[in-house]
Amino acid sequence: AQSVAQPEDQVNVAEGNPLTVKCTYSVSGNPYLFWYVQYPNRGLQFLLKYITGDNLVKGSYGFEAEFNKSQTSFHLKKPSALVSDSALYFCAVRPNQAGTALIFGKGTTLSVSS
Amino acid sequence: EAGVTQFPSHSVIEKGQTVTLRCDPISGHDNLYWYRRVMGKEIKFLLHFVKESKQDESGMPNNRFLAERTGGTYSTLKVQPAELEDSGVYFCASSQGIGTAYGYTFGSGTRLTVV
Protein backbone atom coordinates (compact mmCIF):
# COMPACT_ATOMS: atom_id res chain seq x y z
CA ALA A 1 0.00 0.00 0.00
CA GLN A 2 1.14 3.52 -0.73
CA SER A 3 2.09 5.44 2.38
CA VAL A 4 3.96 8.36 3.87
CA ALA A 5 5.93 8.04 7.08
CA GLN A 6 6.85 10.80 9.47
CA PRO A 7 8.86 8.86 12.05
CA GLU A 8 8.88 11.55 14.72
CA ASP A 9 5.70 12.57 16.52
CA GLN A 10 7.50 15.59 17.96
CA VAL A 11 10.67 17.52 17.22
CA ASN A 12 12.08 19.91 19.79
CA VAL A 13 14.65 22.51 18.86
CA ALA A 14 16.01 25.69 20.38
CA GLU A 15 15.45 28.98 18.62
CA GLY A 16 18.28 29.78 16.25
CA ASN A 17 19.26 26.16 15.76
CA PRO A 18 18.71 24.27 12.52
CA LEU A 19 15.69 22.00 12.31
CA THR A 20 14.83 18.90 10.32
CA VAL A 21 11.46 17.21 10.08
CA LYS A 22 11.73 13.82 8.43
CA CYS A 23 9.52 12.28 5.79
CA THR A 24 9.84 9.10 3.77
CA TYR A 25 7.38 7.69 1.32
CA SER A 26 6.44 4.43 -0.29
CA VAL A 27 4.77 5.24 -3.57
CA SER A 28 5.35 3.77 -6.99
CA GLY A 29 6.59 5.90 -9.82
CA ASN A 30 7.66 9.50 -9.47
CA PRO A 31 5.29 11.20 -7.07
CA TYR A 32 4.84 14.88 -6.41
CA LEU A 33 5.84 15.80 -2.86
CA PHE A 34 4.45 18.45 -0.54
CA TRP A 35 4.85 19.93 2.90
CA TYR A 36 1.98 21.62 4.71
CA VAL A 37 1.88 23.34 8.08
CA GLN A 38 -1.04 23.73 10.45
CA TYR A 39 -1.05 26.43 13.08
CA PRO A 40 -3.60 26.18 15.93
CA ASN A 41 -7.18 26.76 14.74
CA ARG A 42 -6.00 27.31 11.19
CA GLY A 43 -6.21 25.28 8.02
CA LEU A 44 -3.38 23.47 6.34
CA GLN A 45 -1.05 25.97 4.72
CA PHE A 46 1.13 25.09 1.77
CA LEU A 47 4.88 25.37 2.41
CA LEU A 48 6.56 23.90 -0.64
CA LYS A 49 6.42 21.19 -3.26
CA TYR A 50 8.71 19.10 -5.42
CA ILE A 51 7.59 18.20 -8.90
CA THR A 52 10.79 17.78 -10.84
CA GLY A 53 14.17 19.40 -11.25
CA ASP A 54 16.53 20.56 -8.51
CA ASN A 55 16.41 18.26 -5.52
CA LEU A 56 16.52 21.19 -3.10
CA VAL A 57 13.25 23.05 -3.02
CA LYS A 58 12.78 26.37 -1.29
CA GLY A 59 9.45 27.40 0.14
CA SER A 60 7.64 29.79 2.43
CA TYR A 61 8.95 31.19 5.73
CA GLY A 62 12.54 30.17 4.99
CA PHE A 63 11.82 26.46 4.81
CA GLU A 64 13.40 24.14 2.29
CA ALA A 65 13.19 20.44 1.58
CA GLU A 66 15.55 17.99 -0.03
CA PHE A 67 14.26 15.28 -2.30
CA ASN A 68 16.30 12.07 -2.24
CA LYS A 69 15.02 9.56 -4.74
CA SER A 70 17.26 6.67 -3.67
CA GLN A 71 16.17 7.03 -0.06
CA THR A 72 12.60 7.99 -0.99
CA SER A 73 12.81 10.87 1.44
CA PHE A 74 11.71 14.48 1.44
CA HIS A 75 12.96 15.99 4.69
CA LEU A 76 11.93 19.50 5.65
CA LYS A 77 14.68 21.80 6.87
CA LYS A 78 15.30 25.31 8.09
CA PRO A 79 18.74 26.73 8.93
CA SER A 80 17.58 28.77 11.92
CA ALA A 81 14.36 27.99 13.78
CA LEU A 82 11.99 30.61 15.13
CA VAL A 83 9.57 30.23 18.03
CA SER A 84 6.82 31.14 15.57
CA ASP A 85 7.68 28.01 13.55
CA SER A 86 6.09 25.91 16.29
CA ALA A 87 3.22 24.08 14.60
CA LEU A 88 2.10 20.75 13.17
CA TYR A 89 3.81 19.76 9.92
CA PHE A 90 2.47 17.30 7.39
CA CYS A 91 4.29 15.65 4.54
CA ALA A 92 2.14 14.58 1.60
CA VAL A 93 2.57 12.90 -1.75
CA ARG A 94 0.46 12.84 -4.85
CA PRO A 95 1.13 9.65 -6.76
CA ASN A 96 1.92 10.39 -10.37
CA GLN A 97 -0.99 8.37 -11.60
CA ALA A 98 -4.64 8.83 -12.30
CA GLY A 99 -6.33 10.58 -9.41
CA THR A 100 -5.21 13.70 -7.66
CA ALA A 101 -5.74 12.91 -3.99
CA LEU A 102 -2.91 13.48 -1.57
CA ILE A 103 -1.53 10.81 0.74
CA PHE A 104 -0.49 12.35 4.06
CA GLY A 105 1.79 11.35 6.88
CA LYS A 106 0.69 11.43 10.52
CA GLY A 107 2.16 14.83 11.13
CA THR A 108 5.06 16.02 13.27
CA THR A 109 4.69 18.60 15.99
CA LEU A 110 7.57 21.05 15.93
CA SER A 111 8.27 22.86 19.18
CA VAL A 112 10.80 25.68 19.12
CA SER A 113 11.89 26.96 22.51
CA SER A 114 13.25 30.42 23.19
CA GLU B 1 -9.75 36.27 -2.54
CA ALA B 2 -11.72 34.43 0.11
CA GLY B 3 -10.28 31.09 1.17
CA VAL B 4 -11.96 27.76 1.67
CA THR B 5 -14.60 28.09 4.34
CA GLN B 6 -15.84 25.25 6.49
CA PHE B 7 -18.56 25.23 9.10
CA PRO B 8 -19.25 24.52 11.74
CA SER B 9 -15.76 24.74 13.16
CA HIS B 10 -16.73 22.38 15.96
CA SER B 11 -19.57 19.95 16.42
CA VAL B 12 -20.35 17.65 19.33
CA ILE B 13 -23.11 15.14 18.76
CA GLU B 14 -24.33 11.96 20.34
CA LYS B 15 -23.86 8.57 18.80
CA GLY B 16 -26.71 7.85 16.43
CA GLN B 17 -27.40 11.46 15.55
CA THR B 18 -26.90 13.09 12.18
CA VAL B 19 -24.41 15.81 11.38
CA THR B 20 -23.90 17.80 8.20
CA LEU B 21 -20.63 19.53 7.47
CA ARG B 22 -20.35 22.23 4.86
CA CYS B 23 -17.50 23.41 2.69
CA ASP B 24 -17.45 26.50 0.52
CA PRO B 25 -14.53 26.31 -1.90
CA ILE B 26 -12.76 29.21 -3.50
CA SER B 27 -14.98 30.64 -6.19
CA GLY B 28 -14.17 29.14 -9.57
CA HIS B 29 -12.43 26.07 -8.18
CA ASP B 30 -13.98 23.08 -9.89
CA ASN B 31 -12.11 20.53 -7.78
CA LEU B 32 -13.21 19.94 -4.21
CA TYR B 33 -11.76 17.35 -1.85
CA TRP B 34 -12.78 16.03 1.54
CA TYR B 35 -10.22 14.60 3.94
CA ARG B 36 -10.41 13.39 7.52
CA ARG B 37 -7.87 13.19 10.32
CA VAL B 38 -8.59 10.88 13.20
CA MET B 39 -6.69 11.98 16.31
CA GLY B 40 -2.96 11.37 15.98
CA LYS B 41 -3.22 9.61 12.65
CA GLU B 42 -2.80 10.45 9.01
CA ILE B 43 -5.02 12.80 7.13
CA LYS B 44 -6.95 10.48 4.86
CA PHE B 45 -8.65 11.20 1.58
CA LEU B 46 -12.40 10.73 1.48
CA LEU B 47 -13.55 11.93 -1.94
CA HIS B 48 -13.02 14.29 -4.84
CA PHE B 49 -15.61 16.29 -6.75
CA VAL B 50 -15.12 17.84 -10.15
CA LYS B 51 -17.88 20.39 -10.30
CA GLU B 52 -20.95 18.47 -9.18
CA SER B 53 -19.66 15.01 -10.14
CA LYS B 54 -17.92 12.59 -7.83
CA GLN B 55 -14.61 11.89 -9.51
CA ASP B 56 -13.22 9.59 -6.84
CA GLU B 57 -15.00 8.41 -3.70
CA SER B 58 -12.68 5.54 -2.92
CA GLY B 59 -11.89 6.91 0.53
CA MET B 60 -15.41 7.09 1.86
CA PRO B 61 -15.44 4.75 4.86
CA ASN B 62 -18.99 3.38 4.57
CA ASN B 63 -22.51 4.20 3.49
CA ARG B 64 -23.17 6.29 6.58
CA PHE B 65 -21.27 9.06 4.81
CA LEU B 66 -22.97 11.00 2.04
CA ALA B 67 -21.32 13.84 0.17
CA GLU B 68 -23.06 16.17 -2.23
CA ARG B 69 -22.11 19.15 -4.32
CA THR B 70 -25.28 20.32 -5.96
CA GLY B 71 -24.66 22.96 -8.60
CA GLY B 72 -20.94 22.51 -8.34
CA THR B 73 -20.50 25.18 -5.69
CA TYR B 74 -20.48 24.34 -2.01
CA SER B 75 -20.39 20.78 -0.74
CA THR B 76 -21.92 19.02 2.21
CA LEU B 77 -20.80 15.88 3.99
CA LYS B 78 -23.49 14.16 6.02
CA VAL B 79 -22.82 11.47 8.57
CA GLN B 80 -25.94 9.46 9.46
CA PRO B 81 -26.02 7.87 11.94
CA ALA B 82 -22.80 9.00 13.55
CA GLU B 83 -20.60 6.50 15.39
CA LEU B 84 -17.83 7.10 17.93
CA GLU B 85 -15.11 6.28 15.39
CA ASP B 86 -16.31 9.11 13.16
CA SER B 87 -14.74 11.63 15.53
CA GLY B 88 -11.93 13.61 13.99
CA VAL B 89 -11.17 16.71 12.00
CA TYR B 90 -12.72 16.94 8.57
CA PHE B 91 -10.83 19.07 6.08
CA CYS B 92 -12.02 20.39 2.79
CA ALA B 93 -9.70 21.55 0.02
CA SER B 94 -10.25 23.07 -3.38
CA SER B 95 -8.16 23.43 -6.49
CA GLN B 96 -8.64 25.31 -9.73
CA GLY B 97 -7.25 22.44 -11.78
CA ILE B 98 -5.60 19.07 -11.40
CA GLY B 99 -2.29 19.75 -13.09
CA THR B 100 0.87 20.16 -11.08
CA ALA B 101 0.76 23.90 -11.54
CA TYR B 102 -2.31 24.03 -9.34
CA GLY B 103 -2.14 23.86 -5.61
CA TYR B 104 -4.66 22.80 -3.05
CA THR B 105 -6.16 25.33 -0.64
CA PHE B 106 -7.40 23.84 2.58
CA GLY B 107 -10.04 25.07 4.96
CA SER B 108 -9.61 25.27 8.71
CA GLY B 109 -11.47 22.02 9.23
CA THR B 110 -14.48 20.91 11.24
CA ARG B 111 -13.70 19.14 14.49
CA LEU B 112 -16.38 16.49 15.00
CA THR B 113 -16.75 14.79 18.33
CA VAL B 114 -19.20 11.92 18.67
CA VAL B 115 -20.00 11.03 22.28
Side-chain angles (χ1 to χ4, degrees), chain A:
Chain A
Q2 302 182 112
S3 64
V4 174
Q6 292 181 243
E8 302 150 318
D9 290 336
Q10 179 143 349
V11 170
N12 299 308
V13 64
E15 187 174 33
N17 284 356
L19 69 88
T20 299
V21 183
K22 296 179 181 177
C23 172
T24 59
Y25 61 91
S26 176
V27 174
S28 58
N30 298 308
Y32 309 134
L33 303 161
F34 301 79
W35 275 100
Y36 286 87
V37 59
Q38 185 182 20
Y39 297 100
N41 301 315
R42 302 285 296 276
L44 293 167
Q45 295 182 31
F46 171 79
L47 274 181
L48 49 80
K49 67 180 178 183
Y50 174 83
I51 304 297
T52 187
D54 193 348
N55 289 343
L56 185 63
V57 179
K58 294 187 184 297
S60 307
Y61 313 121
F63 283 92
E64 57 189 29
E66 186 166 13
F67 170 62
N68 187 317
K69 186 173 182 177
S70 63
Q71 296 184 2
T72 60
S73 67
F74 190 55
H75 300 331
L76 181 70
K77 300 180 180 183
K78 187 173 182 180
S80 178
L82 300 172
V83 172
S84 57
D85 293 329
S86 299
L88 181 57
Y89 291 80
F90 290 96
C91 180
V93 303
R94 175 183 153 179
N96 190 1
Q97 306 159 7
T100 59
L102 296 173
I103 301 172
F104 284 88
K106 291 190 310 181
T108 299
T109 299
L110 173 66
S111 179
V112 182
S113 57
S114 57

Side-chain angles (χ1 to χ4, degrees), chain B residues 34-111:
Chain B
W34 283 99
Y35 290 84
R36 174 175 73 173
R37 184 179 191 231
V38 172
M39 182 63 71
K41 298 199 172 180
E42 300 88 350
I43 300 172
K44 290 203 169 180
F45 167 76
L46 297 178
L47 89 159
H48 169 209
F49 282 100
V50 178
K51 297 185 180 179
E52 67 276 9
S53 298
K54 293 176 184 174
Q55 182 76 11
D56 180 357
E57 51 184 330
S58 60
M60 293 288 266
N62 52 60
N63 59 10
R64 295 186 292 104
F65 288 75
L66 175 64
E68 295 181 321
R69 193 183 181 195
T70 306
T73 55
Y74 70 90
S75 174
T76 57
L77 180 65
K78 181 189 288 187
V79 185
Q80 179 183 28
E83 298 289 346
L84 299 179
E85 65 264 25
D86 300 332
S87 296
V89 180
Y90 290 76
F91 290 101
C92 174
S94 72
S95 176
Q96 189 174 9
I98 61 172
T100 57
Y102 300 101
Y104 306 86
T105 303
F106 282 82
S108 300
T110 294
R111 182 175 296 278

Side-chain angles (χ1 to χ4, degrees), chain B residues 1-6 23-27 29 94 105-108:
Chain B
E1 87 188 335
V4 175
T5 305
Q6 291 186 247
C23 169
D24 286 58
I26 292 174
S27 178
H29 281 197
S94 72
T105 303
F106 282 82
S108 300

